[in-house]
Amino acid sequence: MIKTGIYGGSFNPIHNGHIQLARQLREAAGLDEVWLMVSPQNPLKEQAGLLADNLRLKMARQALVAEPYIRVSDYEFRLPRPSYTWNTLQALEQDFPDREFTLLIGGDNWEHFPRWYRADDIVSNYRIVVYPRRDSDIDLTALPPTVTVVEADLLDISSTDIRRRVSKGLPITGMVPDCIVQDVERLYRQN
């Protein structure tokens, strides 16, 4: 079985923090690979300011071209919207029987996990690796057996801040891979 981590998000835009985190989680969780699942519609997030799916996907693929163990996936683009993680995991399991899928989420998402569609089913059927975020408070004594918390160095970068900086004409060098700086500046200045 190929151990595959699923790291979902809007990646609006992808940034160096996402990439560093994917590398660290692959190693810490003992995964063979990580799939960055570009989400077309997160049911728990505001969609305002979301760049078109194909543009976010293209930038993510360009940003990760030199990463052998991290792949960008448009798998959810073919699934019904909004993108419910349970539906995605079930479909992945059916389409890729040679893989064992692990869900990778931030501590902020873990705190809201009970609100997720079929959260109990996800916990019962899949391994979940949680990485703490700055403001997350995770009770390690109350975790289900399928949930593991791993420490990861987090870069202080957010997609929201990148979009804000671009809108104000501020530099984003070092925040996103060099190969997509111009695209991010052009696309988010127009958006």
Side-chain angles (χ1 to χ4, degrees):
M1 285 289 227
I2 301 168
K3 294 180 179 179
T4 303
I6 299 299
Y7 177 8
S10 57
F11 303 106
N12 189 38
I14 190 167
H15 57 67
N16 289 333
H18 293 132
I19 298 166
Q20 176 184 307
L21 186 59
R23 287 182 195 133
Q24 289 181 55
L25 291 175
R26 187 186 77 78
E27 181 122 350
L31 301 169
D32 298 311
E33 61 187 6
V34 171
W35 290 2
L36 264 64
M37 189 71 58
V38 179
S39 177
Q41 185 181 354
N42 180 331
L44 298 177
K45 275 196 174 177
E46 178 64 40
Q47 300 299 303
L50 188 65
L51 202 62
D53 298 346
N54 63 322
L55 296 173
R56 290 181 291 120
L57 180 71
K58 180 182 174 194
M59 278 191 292
R61 285 187 169 150
Q62 191 175 341
L64 291 166
V65 75
E67 294 289 336
Y69 303 108
I70 307 171
R71 298 195 176 117
V72 177
S73 176
D74 63 354
Y75 189 81
E76 284 190 337
F77 291 14
R78 297 181 288 280
L79 298 177
R81 292 180 190 197
S83 303
Y84 291 112
T85 300
W86 169 254
N87 294 344
T88 300
L89 290 168
Q90 289 286 282
L92 285 167
E93 194 171 70
Q94 181 145 9
D95 290 347
F96 300 96
D98 61 331
R99 286 177 164 74
E100 176 184 283
F101 293 101
T102 297
L103 181 61
L104 308 174
I105 63 172
D108 53 338
N109 279 315
W110 179 248
E111 288 175 12
H112 300 290
F113 200 77
R115 292 178 42 210
W116 286 31
Y117 176 70
R118 299 193 62 175
D120 291 339
D121 290 327
I122 296 170
V123 169
S124 297
N125 290 283
Y126 297 95
R127 180 177 172 218
I128 302 171
V129 172
V130 179
Y131 53 94
R133 302 286 290 261
R134 219 175 345 278
D135 299 329
S136 57
D137 185 28
I138 302 170
D139 181 359
L140 298 176
T141 63
L143 293 176
T146 57
V147 179
T148 307
V149 173
V150 299
E151 290 300 321
D153 299 325
L154 300 176
L155 291 178
D156 192 19
I157 301 173
S158 75
S159 296
T160 302
D161 189 40
I162 291 167
R163 293 191 307 271
R164 181 191 62 78
R165 291 178 67 82
V166 167
S167 74
K168 293 183 175 193
L170 297 171
I172 58 169
T173 306
M175 299 177 83
V176 300
D178 291 343
C179 62
I180 64 167
V181 167
Q182 289 182 342
D183 286 340
V184 170
E185 289 173 341
R186 177 178 50 83
L187 293 167
Y188 288 95
R189 196 171 292 126
Q190 296 170 0
N191 198 23

CSV table of all heavy atoms in Angstrom, one decimal, residues 31 53-54 67 73 84 92 98-99 121 124 147 154 176:
chain,number,residue,atom,x,y,z
A,31,LEU,N,4.7,9.1,5.6
A,31,LEU,CA,3.9,8.9,4.3
A,31,LEU,C,4.9,8.8,3.1
A,31,LEU,O,6.0,9.3,3.2
A,31,LEU,CB,3.0,10.1,4.1
A,31,LEU,CG,2.0,10.4,5.2
A,31,LEU,CD1,1.3,11.8,5.0
A,31,LEU,CD2,0.9,9.3,5.2
A,53,ASP,N,-10.7,28.2,-10.2
A,53,ASP,CA,-10.1,26.8,-9.9
A,53,ASP,C,-8.9,26.5,-10.7
A,53,ASP,O,-7.8,26.1,-10.2
A,53,ASP,CB,-11.1,25.7,-10.1
A,53,ASP,CG,-12.3,25.8,-9.2
A,53,ASP,OD1,-12.3,26.6,-8.2
A,53,ASP,OD2,-13.3,25.1,-9.5
A,54,ASN,N,-9.0,26.7,-12.1
A,54,ASN,CA,-7.9,26.4,-13.0
A,54,ASN,C,-6.7,27.2,-12.7
A,54,ASN,O,-5.6,26.7,-12.9
A,54,ASN,CB,-8.4,26.5,-14.4
A,54,ASN,CG,-8.8,27.9,-14.8
A,54,ASN,OD1,-9.4,28.6,-14.1
A,54,ASN,ND2,-8.4,28.2,-16.1
A,67,GLU,N,9.1,19.1,-6.6
A,67,GLU,CA,8.9,18.4,-5.4
A,67,GLU,C,8.5,16.9,-5.8
A,67,GLU,O,7.3,16.7,-6.1
A,67,GLU,CB,7.8,19.0,-4.6
A,67,GLU,CG,8.1,20.4,-4.0
A,67,GLU,CD,9.2,20.3,-2.9
A,67,GLU,OE1,9.3,19.3,-2.2
A,67,GLU,OE2,9.9,21.3,-2.7
A,73,SER,N,-3.4,17.9,-6.9
A,73,SER,CA,-4.5,17.1,-7.4
A,73,SER,C,-5.7,18.0,-7.7
A,73,SER,O,-6.1,18.9,-6.9
A,73,SER,CB,-4.9,16.0,-6.4
A,73,SER,OG,-6.0,15.3,-6.9
A,84,TYR,N,-17.1,17.9,0.2
A,84,TYR,CA,-17.1,17.3,1.6
A,84,TYR,C,-16.0,16.3,1.7
A,84,TYR,O,-15.9,15.4,0.8
A,84,TYR,CB,-18.4,16.7,1.9
A,84,TYR,CG,-19.5,17.7,2.0
A,84,TYR,CD1,-20.6,17.7,1.1
A,84,TYR,CD2,-19.6,18.5,3.1
A,84,TYR,CE1,-21.6,18.7,1.2
A,84,TYR,CE2,-20.6,19.4,3.3
A,84,TYR,CZ,-21.6,19.5,2.3
A,84,TYR,OH,-22.6,20.4,2.5
A,92,LEU,N,-11.8,8.5,-3.4
A,92,LEU,CA,-10.4,8.2,-3.6
A,92,LEU,C,-10.1,6.8,-3.3
A,92,LEU,O,-9.4,6.1,-4.0
A,92,LEU,CB,-9.5,9.1,-2.7
A,92,LEU,CG,-9.3,10.6,-3.1
A,92,LEU,CD1,-8.7,11.4,-1.9
A,92,LEU,CD2,-8.4,10.6,-4.3
A,98,ASP,N,-4.9,0.9,-4.3
A,98,ASP,CA,-3.5,0.6,-3.9
A,98,ASP,C,-2.9,1.6,-2.9
A,98,ASP,O,-1.8,1.5,-2.5
A,98,ASP,CB,-2.6,0.5,-5.1
A,98,ASP,CG,-2.6,1.9,-5.9
A,98,ASP,OD1,-3.6,2.6,-5.8
A,98,ASP,OD2,-1.5,2.2,-6.5
A,99,ARG,N,-3.8,2.5,-2.4
A,99,ARG,CA,-3.3,3.6,-1.5
A,99,ARG,C,-4.1,3.5,-0.2
A,99,ARG,O,-5.3,3.2,-0.2
A,99,ARG,CB,-3.5,4.9,-2.2
A,99,ARG,CG,-2.4,5.2,-3.2
A,99,ARG,CD,-2.6,6.6,-3.9
A,99,ARG,NE,-1.5,7.0,-4.6
A,99,ARG,CZ,-1.1,6.5,-5.8
A,99,ARG,NH1,-1.8,5.5,-6.3
A,99,ARG,NH2,0.0,6.9,-6.4
A,121,ASP,N,-17.7,9.5,10.9
A,121,ASP,CA,-17.3,8.4,9.9
A,121,ASP,C,-15.8,8.6,9.5
A,121,ASP,O,-15.1,7.6,9.3
A,121,ASP,CB,-18.2,8.5,8.7
A,121,ASP,CG,-19.6,8.0,9.0
A,121,ASP,OD1,-19.7,7.1,9.9
A,121,ASP,OD2,-20.6,8.5,8.4
A,124,SER,N,-13.6,7.4,12.2
A,124,SER,CA,-13.7,5.9,12.4
A,124,SER,C,-13.0,5.1,11.3
A,124,SER,O,-12.6,4.0,11.5
A,124,SER,CB,-15.2,5.5,12.4
A,124,SER,OG,-15.8,6.0,13.5
A,147,VAL,N,-6.4,9.5,15.5
A,147,VAL,CA,-5.9,10.9,15.4
A,147,VAL,C,-4.5,11.1,16.1
A,147,VAL,O,-4.3,10.7,17.2
A,147,VAL,CB,-6.9,11.9,15.9
A,147,VAL,CG1,-6.3,13.3,15.8
A,147,VAL,CG2,-8.2,11.8,15.2
A,154,LEU,N,6.0,26.1,11.5
A,154,LEU,CA,5.1,26.8,10.6
A,154,LEU,C,5.7,28.2,10.2
A,154,LEU,O,6.1,29.0,11.1
A,154,LEU,CB,3.8,27.0,11.3
A,154,LEU,CG,3.0,25.7,11.7
A,154,LEU,CD1,1.8,26.1,12.5
A,154,LEU,CD2,2.7,24.9,10.5
A,176,VAL,N,6.0,33.2,-1.6
A,176,VAL,CA,5.6,32.2,-2.6
A,176,VAL,C,6.8,31.8,-3.3
A,176,VAL,O,7.8,32.5,-3.4
A,176,VAL,CB,4.5,32.7,-3.5
A,176,VAL,CG1,3.3,33.1,-2.7
A,176,VAL,CG2,5.0,33.8,-4.4
